[in-house]
Amino acid sequence: MVFSRRKLLIAAYLLLQTLSTLTEGLQTGAMDAAVNAVNIVFIVLFVLWQPRCSLPQVRRIKFIARSLVVLLAVPAVLSLVLSGESSQITGAARIWLWVESLLFALAWCDDASKADFLFSVLRRCAFMVLVALLLFNVFSYGETAYGLGHLFLGSILSLPTLSLFVLALLLAFLYPNGKLLRLFGFTALLILIALLLKRSVVVAALVVLAVGWQSFFPRIRYQRLVFAFLAVVVAVIFAADMVEQLQSSELVAERFSDMKKLEASDDLRYLGSGRLRLVEMWWGYYVSSSLPEMLLGQVVGSPSQVTGIRYLGMSWPMPHNDALDVLLRGGLLALMVYIALWITLYRALVRTHPVWTAHDKMVQTIGRLALFVYVIHIPIGVVTKLQFMTVIVLYIGVAIRASIDAQVQGRR
């Protein structure tokens, strides 16, 4: 296998995001600044080393994606220049990076060998996460975010980011490779998702399993039986352990903190970690903004403007809704471009072509699953969860390129 500069770039980037996930809790101060600086370097490299592509479909997606980048950049840069406020540009840069990752995959994966390489790197990153978590548990068992005694998270892991990243990596095991290692890796990741206890991720993982069942085990029947047996055993052990752990009223109160919020406020908007309340709050802030801010995004002219429930530099939680997040960052124009981008990606992914190989069909399935997994997380707010979004858009980019290439081949 020839390791070109672009292969080394994508491998280094995925390795960086994996290590970044495993140390997110430690990324404060100088380390956080260093990670942000490295991510900016990768943005530049993705732009400079992106291969040219003459396909009109790719050019259309690139135009829409780059327009989103520009619309998010203007208010972010103005805020930085006028007030020295960097929080908005940091969030926008995370969006720029996964947008450039999408474009890189879309332009670069023009043959099966490049897709093989990409999926191989993703599977290796998955095993790195599994080994790291195993080691953490061996030495520090029981210190979890919810105190349920399953996985050690402590100060070194961020539970939401880790859960989403593991879910995204899970899709790499659907890619055909004809190895038993795939079976055990896929099983281990499913177990990990269950133990992490993130509800939306568990639901999405079950959908991935249901959709990928036939494709995941296309030939070897006993693999299906082994996988089903392992899944049942894990489910029974997990359920029994949960029943035992949840006998403690203290743990129940902590795990289901939404109910405490509901009882205290007597307001259904506080369910789901208060996301409905957050949407209401930030929508109220948006409609009270000036017309230029509503159209082009929020710009802070001076630090004294960052008061109350201002979007930048405030102590309140972020919107936790991707559509609203983009609306606040770049205004109505950015939201329209953001929606246009995902509609364009969806239309490219739903096409079918008679010249598809088995690998093409599997890549397309993975791309559709990746898009679905992201869409169901929009109300939760993951657009700046860089590791998750990077892997998701890589799958989408590879799938769309395979679809476009099949379409071009079919016309010849």
Side-chain angles (χ1 to χ4, degrees):
M1 181 181 292
V2 178
F3 285 92
S4 66
R5 290 185 300 174
R6 291 190 178 95
K7 283 186 176 180
L8 290 174
L9 173 64
I10 198 68
Y13 179 61
L14 291 174
L15 178 61
L16 169 74
Q17 297 306 340
T18 301
L19 295 175
S20 178
T21 302
L22 294 174
T23 59
E24 187 173 12
L26 304 177
Q27 293 173 29
T28 58
M31 184 173 178
D32 182 57
V35 171
N36 287 332
V38 172
N39 281 327
I40 291 174
V41 170
F42 272 108
I43 294 177
V44 175
L45 292 177
F46 278 133
V47 173
L48 294 179
W49 282 357
Q50 188 178 122
R52 294 183 180 180
C53 183
S54 60
L55 296 173
Q57 299 95 324
V58 174
R59 292 204 304 269
R60 186 183 307 118
I61 294 174
K62 181 177 290 189
F63 173 77
I64 297 173
R66 290 276 169 80
S67 298
L68 177 62
V69 167
V70 171
L71 289 171
L72 292 172
V74 172
V77 171
L78 284 176
S79 295
L80 182 65
V81 172
L82 295 176
S83 66
E85 176 55 56
S86 62
S87 63
Q88 189 177 11
I89 200 166
T90 299
R94 289 174 175 268
I95 300 176
W96 303 339
L97 192 47
W98 66 252
V99 167
E100 291 302 331
S101 301
L102 167 70
L103 298 179
F104 184 83
L106 191 62
W108 179 61
C109 288
D110 53 358
D111 59 52
S113 65
K114 292 174 181 175
D116 289 341
F117 175 80
L118 181 60
F119 281 92
S120 176
V121 173
L122 286 168
R123 280 193 294 266
R124 282 165 171 76
C125 290
F127 282 110
M128 184 183 301
V129 172
L130 293 172
V131 170
L133 288 170
L134 177 62
L135 292 175
F136 294 155
N137 278 275
V138 167
F139 294 106
S140 304
Y141 178 77
E143 300 179 38
T144 73
Y146 297 128
L148 293 177
H150 291 296
L151 288 174
F152 169 66
L153 297 174
S155 64
I156 197 168
L157 298 173
S158 168
L159 180 65
T161 302
L162 176 64
S163 301
L164 291 166
F165 191 53
V166 168
L167 172 63
L169 291 175
L170 175 66
L171 295 179
F173 289 93
L174 288 173
Y175 189 74
N177 58 12
K179 297 178 180 179
L180 288 176
L181 191 61
R182 179 182 58 183
L183 169 66
F184 298 109
F186 193 86
T187 304
L189 281 170
L190 274 180
I191 295 171
L192 180 58
I193 285 171
L195 294 178
L196 287 169
L197 296 173
K198 296 303 291 181
R199 289 160 292 185
S200 63
V201 175
V202 171
V203 171
L206 292 176
V207 172
V208 171
L209 175 61
V211 173
W213 181 257
Q214 294 293 331
S215 301
F216 183 62
F217 304 114
R219 299 184 182 89
I220 308 175
R221 289 178 178 269
Y222 84 86
Q223 283 192 353
R224 299 184 185 183
L225 296 175
V226 171
F227 182 83
F229 174 76
L230 289 173
V232 170
V233 169
V234 170
V236 171
I237 295 175
F238 179 70
D241 189 46
M242 284 291 293
V243 170
E244 181 181 352
Q245 294 285 344
L246 294 177
Q247 296 302 312
S248 167
S249 58
E250 219 174 273
L251 292 179
V252 172
E254 186 172 357
R255 180 64 183 93
F256 299 100
S257 57
D258 286 359
M259 300 307 296
K260 291 169 62 177
K261 296 176 185 175
L262 179 60
E263 290 175 3
S265 63
D266 194 26
D267 190 339
L268 289 175
R269 294 173 301 176
Y270 283 90
L271 287 175
S273 299
R275 278 178 169 78
L276 287 176
R277 180 69 185 96
L278 285 171
V279 169
E280 180 186 60
M281 182 182 76
W282 288 115
W283 175 252
Y285 168 69
Y286 172 76
V287 296
S288 65
S289 301
S290 65
L291 182 60
E293 285 183 321
M294 293 177 69
L295 291 176
L296 302 173
Q298 309 299 315
V299 177
V300 174
S302 67
S304 62
Q305 286 185 265
V306 188
T307 58
I309 57 171
R310 293 294 300 182
Y311 177 60
L312 300 172
M314 50 80 183
S315 58
W316 291 64
M318 300 305 287
H320 288 285
N321 182 293
D322 286 354
L324 187 55
D325 193 290
V326 172
L327 178 65
L328 289 164
R329 290 181 186 277
L332 183 60
L333 290 180
L335 178 63
M336 293 172 63
V337 174
Y338 169 78
I339 294 173
L341 174 63
W342 288 109
I343 290 176
T344 304
L345 298 179
Y346 170 78
R347 292 180 61 185
L349 285 172
V350 296
R351 295 172 181 160
T352 57
H353 305 285
V355 296
W356 270 349
T357 64
H359 277 62
D360 291 335
K361 292 178 181 178
M362 196 66 256
V363 168
Q364 196 75 356
T365 299
I366 294 171
R368 292 171 181 173
L369 279 172
L371 179 62
F372 170 78
V373 166
Y374 170 68
V375 167
I376 67 173
H377 284 90
I378 286 178
I380 297 171
V382 297
V383 76
T384 56
K385 295 292 183 184
L386 184 56
Q387 298 89 347
F388 169 74
M389 287 301 299
T390 292
V391 177
I392 287 296
V393 296
L394 285 177
Y395 292 135
I396 292 173
V398 174
I400 291 178
R401 184 54 190 259
S403 176
I404 292 173
D405 288 344
Q407 183 181 4
V408 173
Q409 184 179 350
R411 289 174 178 173
R412 291 173 180 172

